[in-house]
Amino acid sequence: MNVTIVDYNSGNISSVINSFKEVAKNKVNIEVTSDLKKIKFSDKVVLPGQGSFKSCVDALNNINGLVDTLNEFAINNKKPLLGICVGLQMFADIGYEEIETKGLGWISGKVSKIDNQNGKLKLPHIGWNEINILKHSRIFKNIKNNSHMYFVHSYEFIPDDKSVISATTDYSTKIVCSVEKENIFGTQFHPEKSDAEGLKVIQNFLKL
């Protein structure tokens, strides 16, 4: 099985790469590339994202044909794709970080700044927080409800269709921290930084 981690110059993704390789234990071929052909013929794709919504969308668009290849992979061919942090946020139609920016439009909704209750809560939301699993999700197999995951973000994804939400976390309001829609999976938390439970999420994705 070939799993591609898309490297599109969106910040440091070394911890994502290391975690996937650790879980794969040489049984799964992990490739880190922006080569369109390799992405197209992968069995699964991981879309990481660090930085702002706009900078990540711009970085995707800067690689000619990459967005079309990802659309073909996830939407037309319905192969499994996992978005992490801003990788998940880019599933939205639109994001409001820096300036209004068009997303991939895979899951209708928007990305807005977390309501920090007029400065009562610190932004970015950094650190460990409990997740509340709302529905059966294949990437949460053997993960207990209220497990702690690691977060670093100031913006949240608000999908129009609430049925895609697989887990939330409490920070000011109930923030979407994972989604599942058919073959598309996303986590707002960083599984690669979430110790054993995070590695289980990665393992579950690799085993799909």
Side-chain angles (χ1 to χ4, degrees):
M1 182 170 68
N2 292 311
V3 176
T4 298
I5 298 171
V6 184
D7 183 6
Y8 59 101
N9 306 315
S10 77
N12 181 9
I13 59 167
S14 57
S15 53
V16 174
I17 298 162
N18 293 339
S19 296
F20 270 82
K21 287 191 168 168
E22 185 187 327
V23 172
K25 292 189 172 72
N26 299 325
K27 291 176 186 162
V28 177
N29 181 40
I30 306 282
E31 180 107 40
V32 185
T33 184
S34 59
D35 183 308
L36 303 185
K37 211 171 198 172
K38 284 180 176 169
I39 293 168
K40 190 177 177 177
F41 292 110
S42 297
D43 298 300
K44 297 186 175 101
V45 159
V46 180
L47 183 63
Q50 277 194 315
S52 73
F53 186 94
K54 183 183 182 299
S55 69
C56 286
V57 169
D58 286 350
L60 279 186
N61 287 322
N62 282 341
I63 297 172
N64 199 18
L66 180 55
V67 170
D68 288 341
T69 301
L70 290 172
N71 278 326
E72 186 186 342
F73 183 92
I75 303 303
N76 301 352
N77 297 334
K78 297 220 173 295
K79 289 184 183 177
L81 180 141
L82 173 68
I84 297 173
C85 197
V86 185
L88 150 71
Q89 293 181 359
M90 289 192 294
F91 296 171
D93 299 315
I94 197 155
Y96 293 100
E97 190 169 359
E98 293 182 48
I99 61 165
E100 194 177 294
T101 307
K102 197 169 171 257
L104 292 165
W106 293 349
I107 297 179
S108 277
K110 63 181 180 180
V111 174
S112 305
K113 195 164 196 172
I114 294 168
D115 172 14
N116 71 342
Q117 298 173 16
N118 296 322
K120 203 167 116 186
L121 295 166
K122 281 184 182 170
L123 286 183
H125 165 216
I126 299 181
W128 295 88
N129 221 337
E130 277 186 6
I131 65 164
N132 177 26
I133 299 171
L134 301 181
K135 68 169 187 176
H136 169 75
S137 173
R138 288 171 286 168
I139 61 169
F140 289 141
K141 191 180 175 192
N142 298 326
I143 291 173
K144 285 186 180 136
N145 196 18
N146 304 325
S147 292
H148 285 78
M149 300 293 182
Y150 190 80
F151 292 83
V152 185
H153 64 124
S154 298
Y155 284 75
E156 59 172 326
F157 174 42
I158 304 168
D160 294 341
D161 176 7
K162 302 304 178 218
S163 74
V164 302
I165 303 169
S166 50
T168 59
T169 192
D170 285 325
Y171 197 75
S172 159
T173 55
K174 288 199 184 305
I175 288 172
V176 172
C177 68
S178 72
V179 296
E180 176 173 340
K181 184 185 178 187
E182 297 170 346
N183 56 302
I184 298 171
F185 302 83
T187 64
Q188 180 62 66
F189 59 83
H190 287 270
E192 78 282 4
K193 293 177 181 171
S194 298
D195 289 351
E197 298 301 277
L199 292 180
K200 262 187 215 167
V201 170
I202 291 171
Q203 187 177 40
N204 287 336
F205 178 70
L206 292 180
K207 280 182 169 174
L208 285 177

